[in-house]
Amino acid sequence: MTTVTFHSEGDRIVGFQVQGHSGYAPEGADIVCAAVTSAVRLVDCAINDVLGLEASVKVREQDAFISLKLPSVLGESAESTCQTILAALMVHFVQLNEEYPEHISVLEV
């Protein structure tokens, strides 16, 4: 199962981590893993490449782990944009969980 954990400080989503394989289908045919990977890559590109921020991204392929953590201080506009992006990611993963509850779980801490 893929577990997605969103980390918050007060009302601020400060980052997330994704760990594990969904087990929906064999590697290369797993639509749940593909949806998760694509969404995570999009968020990383939006925050780091498009907005030019320096969110910390860690990847460990051996245990199917990726995490992203926002910088602790952002300008008002960048903060608002990042919160919108991360909230949209959370909604996306919650919807995936509703469709594939045995393959993805979403937590908020």
Side-chain angles (χ1 to χ4, degrees):
M1 174 178 283
T2 298
T3 302
V4 182
T5 306
F6 286 89
H7 300 276
S8 298
E9 293 176 358
D11 292 337
R12 182 178 193 245
I13 302 170
V14 296
F16 64 87
Q17 67 183 40
V18 178
Q19 187 160 14
H21 293 286
S22 77
Y24 179 80
E27 186 176 331
D30 193 323
I31 61 172
V32 177
C33 277
V36 169
T37 300
S38 180
V40 167
R41 286 183 177 171
L42 177 64
V43 167
D44 177 18
C45 289
I47 291 172
N48 284 319
D49 299 330
V50 175
L51 293 174
L53 304 176
E54 294 184 9
S56 169
V57 177
K58 295 180 182 173
V59 177
R60 293 190 317 254
E61 291 185 25
Q62 67 271 19
D63 60 347
F65 174 90
I66 187 166
S67 68
L68 182 142
K69 184 174 182 186
L70 293 177
S72 57
V73 178
L74 295 172
E76 187 176 327
S77 177
E79 180 68 36
S80 176
T81 301
C82 286
Q83 291 307 302
T84 299
I85 291 169
L86 292 174
L89 182 67
M90 187 182 301
V91 169
H92 175 66
F93 286 151
V94 166
Q95 290 174 347
L96 279 175
N97 169 258
E98 290 169 0
E99 290 183 58
Y100 304 97
E102 286 133 28
H103 302 283
I104 182 172
S105 68
V106 182
L107 308 170
E108 191 175 355
V109 295

